[in-house]
Amino acid sequence: MHKNDRKMKTNEIILVYILFFCNVLFSQTTLSAGDIAILQYNSDGDPEVLKFLALRSMETGTTINFTDNGWDGSAFRTTEGVHTWTAMLPVSCGDIVEVSITNGNFNLNASGDQIFAYQGTLSSPSFIFGINVSSGNWVDGTPRSRRTALPIALTDGTNAVTLPHIDNTKYTGSLTGSKTTILSNICTVSNWTGSDSVIQDFNGVFISDVTWSGSGNVNDYFNVIINADYSTSSNGNFSTCNCTVNSGNTLTVSSGNNIVIEEDITNNGNIIVNSGGSVVQLLSSGTDTGTNYTVERET
């Protein structure tokens, strides 16, 4: 290669950095079933208070609707209320968010009710999480008062849970492990406790890192630590909230492959993006540290 060609190649690498490492800004993060999980609710007191765990990051301006309307199998009953929560700041994976609901038409009934989290409208909801608070299980067809069917978008034990009649209740299990494990634990009724007279307050801590040392699937984890050489061509694409590359290790994004980082990239080793590969960073508030980045582009 001629000396001038090498200079051109280097300049192109610098110029195309922005094409391969990009922040994607959304004013409203679109959530899927299981992207949040409710950890607590109190039907006593005013305001009523619920808490949820963010299982993915969200941009400022993201809204989530909470309703105690029952689902009849195809539509909401619409005899009760809706409370809309709006993210005033970016929400990180693992944040535990408190939602205060001043008693009004949204009013959890102590003798049985339900809570659905969704985006969209009552007439066209996109379900995220559900709690059924009643004696017995989800019902089929048109529910009686304070009974509800399970929307087809949700699965009991995965992103929905049935709890007994308790005025105030909270999750008591672990918040460590993969997303699948955490959701499964939250959706297990034996991991909940409560009281008909005492307000509950969830005070758990989210800690969910996984160190990849040469084997295993990192795609179900929140904070991935790369502690061996990782190539997407052999180990696969992945998405995660945060990614750290440890010193002495290389993360290679091969041609036609991509990795998606919702928030922060900490590069203490090396990150190589081959021509045709890409690294996408979702939150505009996400940070990048380290200097050993190589972005290649064939021209």
Side-chain angles (χ1 to χ4, degrees):
M1 181 181 289
H2 190 274
K3 182 177 180 181
N4 288 338
D5 292 336
R6 286 198 297 270
K7 287 183 178 179
M8 182 178 295
K9 182 75 170 181
T10 301
N11 289 338
E12 287 172 349
I13 289 173
I14 295 171
L15 289 172
V16 301
Y17 179 89
I18 194 171
L19 298 178
F20 292 91
F21 284 80
C22 55
N23 289 96
V24 181
L25 176 63
F26 300 101
S27 59
Q28 161 85 308
T29 300
T30 300
L31 303 175
S32 301
D35 279 347
I36 75 163
I38 296 173
L39 299 172
Q40 163 200 310
Y41 76 83
N42 293 307
S43 61
D44 293 339
D46 187 5
E48 296 176 348
V49 175
L50 64 83
K51 290 183 179 180
F52 70 83
L53 170 67
L55 293 167
R56 67 156 298 174
S57 56
M58 306 175 207
E59 285 284 357
T60 300
T62 298
T63 60
I64 301 174
N65 301 308
F66 296 93
T67 185
D68 52 347
N69 281 299
W71 182 255
D72 70 6
S74 60
F76 277 118
R77 192 167 49 231
T78 66
T79 57
E80 299 181 78
V82 177
H83 176 84
T84 300
W85 168 85
T86 302
M88 305 309 295
L89 295 169
V91 175
S92 295
C93 297
D95 281 354
I96 296 172
V97 179
E98 181 174 309
V99 181
S100 295
I101 305 170
T102 301
N103 284 351
N105 59 349
F106 186 112
N107 188 10
L108 297 176
N109 193 302
S111 61
D113 218 327
Q114 57 277 318
I115 306 172
F116 288 112
Y118 68 95
Q119 289 183 314
T121 64
L122 275 174
S123 60
S124 182
S126 177
F127 288 98
I128 308 169
F129 195 80
I131 291 182
N132 180 17
V133 187
S134 68
S135 59
N137 297 316
W138 306 89
V139 299
D140 296 325
T142 303
R144 301 189 302 274
S145 176
R146 298 188 295 276
R147 298 293 299 278
T148 184
L150 178 66
I152 193 171
L154 300 178
T155 301
D156 193 76
T158 300
N159 41 44
V161 59
T162 299
L163 301 176
H165 284 176
I166 303 177
D167 290 12
N168 315 290
T169 188
K170 66 179 180 181
Y171 173 67
T172 59
S174 169
L175 293 182
T176 61
S178 68
K179 181 176 182 178
T180 300
T181 298
I182 291 172
L183 275 170
S184 177
N185 288 337
I186 292 172
C187 294
T188 300
V189 62
S190 60
N191 290 331
W192 289 72
T193 190
S195 168
D196 285 329
S197 58
V198 179
I199 297 294
Q200 302 295 297
D201 187 24
F202 179 86
N203 288 308
V205 178
F206 174 87
I207 304 173
S208 188
D209 292 344
V210 60
T211 299
W212 188 86
S213 297
S215 62
N217 180 7
V218 301
N219 215 27
D220 194 29
Y221 288 87
F222 299 94
N223 304 307
V224 175
I225 301 169
I226 303 297
N227 199 46
D229 289 344
Y230 189 106
S231 173
T232 57
S233 62
S234 55
N235 301 115
N237 298 333
F238 66 87
S239 299
T240 186
C241 292
N242 301 286
C243 181
T244 298
V245 180
N246 281 349
S247 176
N249 301 290
T250 299
L251 168 60
T252 301
V253 184
S254 303
S255 178
N257 294 160
N258 67 84
I259 63 173
V260 178
I261 313 297
E262 293 185 17
E263 299 181 53
D264 302 332
I265 301 172
T266 304
N267 182 19
N268 298 318
N270 298 282
I271 295 179
I272 299 173
V273 183
N274 294 155
S275 182
S278 63
V279 176
V280 179
Q281 204 169 1
L282 292 181
L283 277 191
S284 59
S285 58
T287 61
D288 304 287
T289 61
T291 58
N292 293 326
Y293 295 91
T294 301
V295 181
E296 302 171 351
R297 185 186 182 191
E298 294 181 4
T299 59

